[in-house]
Amino acid sequence: MRRPTPLPAPEQGTSPAIDPRERESDPPVRRLDPPRAGEEPRVATADAADARETAPVVPFWTPAPDAARTLSPRSAPSASDDDDAEAGTVGVRDVWAAARARRRALRAEVRRFTARQRRRRMVWGGVGVAFLLLVLGTLGAAYSPLFAVEKISVVGTTALDPSTVENALASQIGTPLPLVDSSAVKAALVQFPLVESYALEARPPHELVIRIVERTPIGAIQTAAGYTLVDAAGVALATTPQPPAGHPVLTVTGGLSSPAFTAVGTVFRTLPDDIRAQVTAISATSANDVTLTLGAGGPAVVWGNADDSALKAKNLAAIMAARPPSSVASYDVSSPSTIVVR
């Protein structure tokens, strides 16, 4: 058996090591209550054995019962830790439920902040739909038999018989007003030379109005077939064996396409109605020597060219009022500023 190694002797000037067993033999220090009034202070003494029996044993560190336990990375979890972990585990369903709740809350916030914009959009959408339905309903009604042509009226004719024009346009009866064929109307009116221009007017629900502007004849030109009534554009309106009553006879050098004929047409159209009714003949060899004849064998009116025709017509009316045609042989208005009466 191995003997214990003796401790080295303490050096001088240093205190020897104290044996723990000797420390236990020291008398303990007891804490006494303070003396009451009128009593003498007490001194308690006890030996080492009594002190060991009566002194409470205080541990070096006592953990608090409610203190939170912290595990180091190297410490193993206990059974209570496993129970806590199982009780607080977050599953996939919980994550999905939380995501759905968050989306619902977000949508609710968006709806709350965009309520006014949605209402405005709904109002404008309703207005647009109503307008679209109105347009579609109007178009549907207009192109339906509800607005079909049942009556054709011809206005603006004097020399032309309106009933003849209405019969020529009878093919448009039963056609919806927006679908009236303007080409077919034009083809029917071309048959009437007196029609210079026309306009279509729809009067819902069932009437179609044709407004006609007739050509104004300026006179009759003698041809091999007789006397042809023409207008200022040279369009032949009618042909008769004898000169038509109420229209002057035209004698123009160069025919209907000459400058002389153009000047004759311009002069005749600028005359007042009362003077125009008195003209029985018009002659012109060029565009600068237009001459009118008033009445049967009456005085001549030297007009000259077609320039300033409106002023010349005004001066002629004034001089004819002062000097009637029955008292003169001729009127010369070729110079608007100077009128010569013979």
Side-chain angles (χ1 to χ4, degrees), residues 16 44 48 52 56 64 94 109 111 119 144 172 183-184 197 202 207 216 249 285-286 291 294 296 300 317:
R52 285 194 299 267
D94 298 333
E109 288 296 318
R111 287 194 297 269
R119 286 195 299 268
S144 67
Q172 301 300 317
S183 300
S197 63
E207 185 178 4
T216 303
V249 176
T285 58
S286 67
T291 302
L294 301 178

Side-chain angles (χ1 to χ4, degrees), residues 66-306:
D66 297 334
R69 290 175 293 176
T70 305
L71 299 178
S72 62
R74 294 183 180 182
S75 61
S78 61
S80 60
D81 295 335
D82 296 337
D83 296 339
D84 295 340
E86 291 177 0
T89 300
V90 179
V92 177
R93 293 183 179 179
D94 298 333
V95 174
W96 287 352
R100 287 195 298 270
R102 183 175 180 274
R103 287 194 296 269
R104 285 195 297 268
L106 182 59
R107 286 194 295 267
E109 288 296 318
V110 171
R111 287 194 297 269
R112 184 166 67 88
F113 282 103
T114 59
R116 183 176 180 182
Q117 183 179 2
R118 291 199 312 274
R119 286 195 299 268
R120 188 186 300 111
R121 190 183 299 114
M122 291 175 62
V123 170
W124 283 109
V127 172
V129 171
F131 179 75
L132 181 60
L133 292 177
L134 178 61
V135 172
L136 293 178
T138 303
L139 293 177
Y143 286 90
S144 67
L146 296 175
F147 290 88
V149 177
E150 297 180 359
K151 179 182 178 181
I152 297 177
S153 301
V154 178
V155 297
T157 59
T158 54
L160 195 61
D161 186 9
S163 60
T164 306
V165 180
E166 293 174 4
N167 294 332
L169 298 174
S171 61
Q172 301 300 317
I173 298 295
T175 304
L177 288 175
L179 297 179
V180 171
D181 191 356
S182 58
S183 300
V185 173
K186 181 179 179 180
L189 295 179
V190 165
Q191 303 173 10
F192 303 94
L194 284 175
V195 177
E196 181 178 3
S197 63
Y198 68 93
L200 301 179
E201 179 182 346
R203 289 183 181 177
H206 304 296
E207 185 178 4
L208 177 65
V209 178
I210 312 296
R211 296 189 178 275
I212 292 177
V213 177
E214 293 182 341
R215 296 182 182 274
T216 303
I218 62 173
I221 294 181
Q222 188 175 7
T223 61
Y227 291 88
T228 303
L229 192 64
V230 295
D231 67 347
V235 177
L237 305 178
T239 301
T240 59
Q242 301 297 326
H247 299 285
V249 176
L250 306 180
T251 304
V252 179
T253 302
L256 300 178
S257 59
S258 63
F261 179 81
T262 303
V264 168
T266 303
V267 171
F268 186 80
R269 291 173 68 94
T270 57
L271 292 174
D273 293 339
D274 55 343
I275 299 177
R276 185 185 304 173
Q278 301 179 38
V279 177
T280 58
I282 303 175
S283 63
T285 58
S286 67
N288 296 320
D289 64 345
V290 178
T291 302
L292 311 177
T293 302
L294 301 178
V301 179
V302 180
W303 198 272
N305 56 31

